[in-house]
Amino acid sequence: MEGADFPRRKPMLLLAYLALEGTHSRAHLARLFWPGATDPANRLAVALRRVRLAAPEAVTIQNDRVQTRLQTDVHLLREALERNDADTAMTRYPGAFLDGVRVRGVGEELEAWILDTREELARRLRALLVRVAEQEASDGRFRDAAARAERARLLPGTAPAPPELLARMHALLTAGDASGAEVLRREAAEFGLTLAPGRARARASLRAARAPSTLPRPATSFVGRDDERLELGRVLGQRDRPLVTILGPGGTGKTRLALALAHDAHASDGYEGGVHYVSLEGVADPAAVAGVIAAALHVVPTRRESPRDALVRTLGAKRTLIVLDNVDDLVEGATAIADLLGACPGLTVLATSRRRLDIEEESVYPLTGLPVAPAGTDAMEDGSDADRLFVERAQRARLDYTPDQAERDAIRAICRLVEGSPLGIELAAVHLREGSAVEAEAVLRASFDAVATPSRNVPERHRTLRASFDVSWADLPASARNALRKLAVFRGGFDVDAAHDVCDVDASMLALLVDRSLVAAAGDGRYGLHPLVQAYAAERLMQDPDVRAELERRHARHVLAQARTWQAWFYGPRQAEAQARFEREHANLAAADAWALAHDPELALDLVDARWRYWRFTGRFVEGQDTAHEALRAARTRRRPGGRGRCTSPGRWRTAWGSMLPPAAT
């Protein structure tokens, strides 16, 4: 809104209301802002006209509904509150909401909205400041805690604190020897409340008040995933979502994200039963689950108790969050988790897995790679999460690392090569201990085994990219392994019909591979393999040359049949669809061209013949000429005895292509 001039405040208040409350009808806005006007609809129209003159993109009106997409400091404040980020929230709170704004002639409902929003924001921020102060006090940082509690006490816009909150703030101020403790004590006395714990007693109670936690200390900083962290943070703890599974292939950062969420949850102080971490890697026996969880939570069964009963007794109805990491091997016995959820109504489980658990309580959150810089942008200036992760990890490997332009280009290439896979990025960054990003890119392109971490405390499955994929491969049934390696013949994606025609892979097998996070469903009927999965599966396919050769032949013939169908659509109402199909299958067409040029030149000629309309209609003359020239040259030099010899009879092509083919090629 910078530069927009509003001589009156009501249009700006209207924008604020729309920004925070969403789309509303004209009738509602007119009644809210001009309740006493003889023609409130006209008043609204005038105000909207002024807004659009001052800021043309500020509001949109459709079907009598008015909305704005403007972001405000309140949005940023609420996001910080959702993340339990007290420091950022304080910077986003310059004072009480709309402090000092007085607008004449508005209705009581609007005035109540201003007051309610003011108190809601101040109340949430004050509560967060007190929670964070109590966490600092539980760690013995009493003066820091008292300073934060004092900010909470003096926060503008707050309503009078309820007795329970007064007592908590007084304990914090007393423990930190802050003068505000006496002020609070006098204020409480006016309401008939007695707040008089001594410093020693206040400190002891604050040290003991913090909920238990068995979360491991993060070995490295957490980079990116702001949107995922915010979205999952809102879901966790909802009673209708007792089990949330972060689903994704190896190396996507499922454990890191789960631990970041768990630390956020512990910081919120909303789980009196504590926040805990349990690794289930290698646990395949459902009967052992309760014992593993009990041991991780330091719950000791009595002689007559089972581990499951001891957990139920300890957790009861207390709000508790448990992170179950690497549930992959336990999928068949996930009912043990469901049983525990049913017996402990306050329990929330956050699981990480490469496979769905497939129980009714489960809500699944698919996780992919980090966002990467778009093509044509500078990796560092773009500031994508993938770029930032590489640089941060590279600077851990070498403190003085500062990328120049060549290094930036290499970083961008690495992040794209691994499609934002955090594991791939981190393993490549380790190479900077003794090398450069340029060298790391070349090494990564050469082999899965070339980039590895020397860290002794990293799990074996994360030492190399190959090790990560080996875990998923070993977990697949033989039929799924065979299907996955066959699908590596495709480039740039495929649909169910293509998978069936070329690889004899049906929809049920694709669904299984999607559930194992090895095949991605695009949502438009197409599927694809992550480039790293594609490379791994292709290596497995190369181990059987006969199968690979037959698949590549079938793939090329399938692509040819599709191209002939789409080319026929260019003379009719489906011309735009034909162009879209050709462009979507560009990578598969290129792969078919390459195979045909090397193994079946006549098929290469047919592939060219099936695309001439596409090239002419879209103006891709150079691409068409180059592809045709290659096919003609291959047919001339590799023609089989008795073959069609189309390269020596170009009359049909000359008629169809007109001037597209140069004389030399003809």
Side-chain angles (χ1 to χ4, degrees):
M1 296 300 298
E2 186 175 344
D5 182 21
F6 291 94
R8 300 184 180 182
R9 287 192 170 186
K10 193 171 285 189
M12 186 65 85
L13 181 60
L14 174 63
L15 280 178
Y17 182 81
L18 289 170
L20 299 183
E21 298 301 316
T23 304
H24 281 285
S25 67
R26 284 176 175 264
H28 171 79
L29 296 173
R31 175 178 55 81
L32 198 64
F33 282 81
W34 292 273
T38 56
D39 191 355
N42 182 62
R43 293 287 190 90
L44 173 64
V46 171
L48 290 174
R49 190 157 52 247
R50 286 174 175 167
V51 168
R52 299 178 89 172
L53 284 172
E57 305 298 325
V59 294
T60 56
I61 304 171
Q62 187 173 14
N63 297 329
D64 207 44
R65 308 282 291 179
V66 185
Q67 67 173 345
T68 181
R69 301 186 189 280
L70 293 177
Q71 293 293 303
T72 72
D73 54 352
V74 175
H75 291 96
L76 301 174
L77 170 62
R78 284 176 170 161
E79 288 180 4
L81 291 171
E82 291 285 350
R83 296 195 305 269
N84 297 302
D85 186 347
D87 292 331
T88 301
M90 277 299 297
T91 64
R92 300 298 186 190
Y93 191 85
F97 175 70
L98 294 183
D99 189 28
V101 174
R102 298 290 183 269
V103 182
R104 296 179 180 178
V106 299
E108 293 181 0
E109 185 181 346
L110 186 60
E111 291 182 346
W113 171 76
I114 294 174
L115 182 60
D116 290 345
T117 305
R118 180 178 301 164
E119 291 186 352
E120 176 246 336
L121 296 174
R123 173 181 51 78
R124 291 181 61 188
L125 178 54
R126 181 173 60 184
L128 176 59
L129 291 172
V130 171
R131 288 201 306 269
V132 174
E134 288 174 337
Q135 293 157 21
E136 292 171 334
S138 70
D139 292 333
R141 296 158 55 197
F142 297 112
R143 293 192 181 278
D144 292 340
R148 200 178 292 274
E150 184 70 1
R151 287 196 292 272
R153 184 180 75 85
L154 299 175
L155 194 70
T158 54
E164 180 267 341
L165 187 59
L166 273 177
R168 291 168 63 191
M169 288 194 293
H170 182 263
L172 289 163
L173 294 168
T174 301
D177 294 321
S179 59
E182 180 60 23
V183 177
L184 270 186
R185 189 189 64 78
R186 290 197 300 268
E187 290 178 0
E190 294 177 2
F191 293 96
L193 301 174
T194 301
L195 302 176
R199 185 180 71 170
R201 183 178 174 186
R203 289 187 172 185
S205 64
L206 287 167
R207 284 186 182 276
R210 193 171 188 184
S213 168
T214 57
L215 297 176
R217 179 180 178 180
T220 56
S221 60
F222 186 78
V223 178
R225 301 290 193 197
D226 290 342
D227 292 341
E228 295 91 335
R229 198 167 176 176
L230 183 61
E231 186 175 354
L232 281 168
R234 289 172 177 163
V235 169
L236 278 182
Q238 294 181 7
R239 293 194 177 276
D240 60 340
R241 298 181 186 273
L243 169 62
V244 178
T245 301
I246 301 177
L247 184 73
T252 50
K254 301 183 295 294
T255 300
R256 289 278 182 85
L257 176 58
L259 285 174
L261 289 163
H263 281 286
D264 290 344
H266 188 235
S268 73
D269 203 24
Y271 293 91
E272 65 269 23
V275 181
H276 308 277
Y277 172 82
V278 182
S279 175
L280 290 178
E281 184 175 5
V283 179
D285 182 6
V289 175
V292 173
I293 296 176
L297 271 61
H298 309 299
V299 173
V300 180
T302 64
R303 290 185 178 181
R304 296 183 179 182
E305 276 185 324
S306 66
R308 182 261 187 198
D309 293 339
L311 282 170
V312 173
R313 168 179 55 81
T314 303
L315 300 180
K318 291 186 291 187
R319 294 195 71 219
T320 307
L321 175 64
I322 298 179
V323 175
L324 295 183
D325 194 22
N326 295 307
V327 194
D328 309 1
D329 296 333
L330 193 66
V331 171
E332 304 303 327
T335 50
I337 300 173
D339 172 64
L340 201 57
L341 288 169
C344 303
L347 176 61
T348 297
V349 170
L350 177 61
T352 70
S353 180
R354 305 176 191 223
R355 306 167 57 183
R356 293 174 181 265
L357 301 187
D358 286 330
I359 56 178
E360 288 187 2
E361 294 83 354
E362 183 181 37
S363 299
V364 174
Y365 190 93
L367 193 66
T368 57
L370 292 168
V372 299
T377 60
D378 184 282
M380 302 303 104
E381 292 179 359
D382 174 73
S384 74
D385 289 346
D387 303 329
R388 291 193 295 114
L389 177 63
F390 187 98
V391 173
E392 198 276 342
R393 297 299 187 259
Q395 289 173 343
R396 288 176 65 88
R398 201 173 78 216
L399 288 175
D400 62 345
Y401 178 67
T402 302
D404 57 18
Q405 188 58 51
E407 288 287 279
R408 293 179 182 185
D409 292 341
I411 291 171
R412 184 173 55 217
I414 289 170
C415 293
R416 286 184 185 151
L417 184 63
V418 301
E419 279 202 355
S421 164
L423 177 61
I425 292 170
E426 293 187 1
L427 290 175
V430 170
H431 193 81
L432 271 77
R433 288 187 175 188
E434 299 177 353
S436 66
V438 174
E439 294 169 345
E441 179 195 353
V443 167
L444 184 60
R445 291 184 184 278
S447 171
F448 280 106
D449 303 311
V451 289
T453 178
S455 299
R456 297 182 178 88
N457 58 343
V458 172
E460 187 64 34
R461 68 181 187 280
H462 286 167
R463 293 287 180 88
T464 66
L465 288 172
R466 183 184 301 280
S468 177
F469 291 123
D470 282 343
V471 172
S472 296
W473 182 264
D475 191 41
L476 288 175
S479 58
R481 293 181 194 174
N482 190 41
L484 182 62
R485 67 171 187 157
K486 286 182 175 181
L487 292 173
V489 74
F490 290 106
R491 297 291 185 272
F494 53 89
D495 56 25
V496 174
D497 291 338
H500 182 268
D501 292 347
V502 177
C503 304
D504 298 318
V505 174
D506 58 21
S508 62
M509 180 57 72
L510 285 176
L512 184 150
L513 292 172
V514 169
D515 283 345
R516 300 296 182 91
S517 303
L518 293 169
V519 170
D524 58 352
R526 285 181 65 77
Y527 298 83
L529 275 64
H530 187 287
L532 297 178
V533 176
Q534 171 99 25
Y536 182 87
E539 281 192 7
R540 292 286 183 173
L541 181 60
M542 290 177 65
Q543 295 172 3
D544 194 334
D546 293 338
V547 172
R548 177 190 175 193
E550 175 60 17
L551 282 172
E552 289 176 337
R553 184 189 68 80
R554 292 176 64 174
H555 174 260
R557 292 194 173 279
H558 172 81
V559 170
L560 173 62
Q562 293 290 88
R564 283 172 169 165
T565 299
W566 302 330
Q567 175 150 266
W569 295 351
F570 271 100
Y571 289 123
R574 304 181 70 178
Q575 183 182 123
E577 183 181 353
Q579 179 177 339
R581 293 289 185 96
F582 273 113
E583 290 172 356
R584 186 181 69 183
E585 298 294 347
H586 186 272
N588 278 314
L589 284 160
D593 281 334
W595 180 86
L597 288 171
H599 300 91
D600 190 344
E602 292 176 5
L603 180 60
L605 291 170
D606 288 334
L607 283 166
V608 171
D609 199 39
R611 280 177 287 174
W612 69 267
R613 287 178 183 165
Y614 164 68
W615 284 319
R616 284 190 72 177
F617 273 77
T618 59
R620 291 172 168 82
F621 300 111
V622 174
E623 178 185 332
Q625 289 174 356
D626 291 346
T627 307
H629 201 113
E630 288 293 319
L632 289 165
R633 183 162 48 238
R636 184 165 53 247
T637 58
R638 299 174 59 86
R639 179 161 51 101
R640 297 191 306 270
R644 287 171 290 174
R646 185 178 298 168
C647 62
T648 59
S649 304
R652 176 183 169 191
W653 277 24
R654 185 182 297 113
T655 300
W657 285 54
S659 61
M660 283 185 66
L661 276 178
T666 305

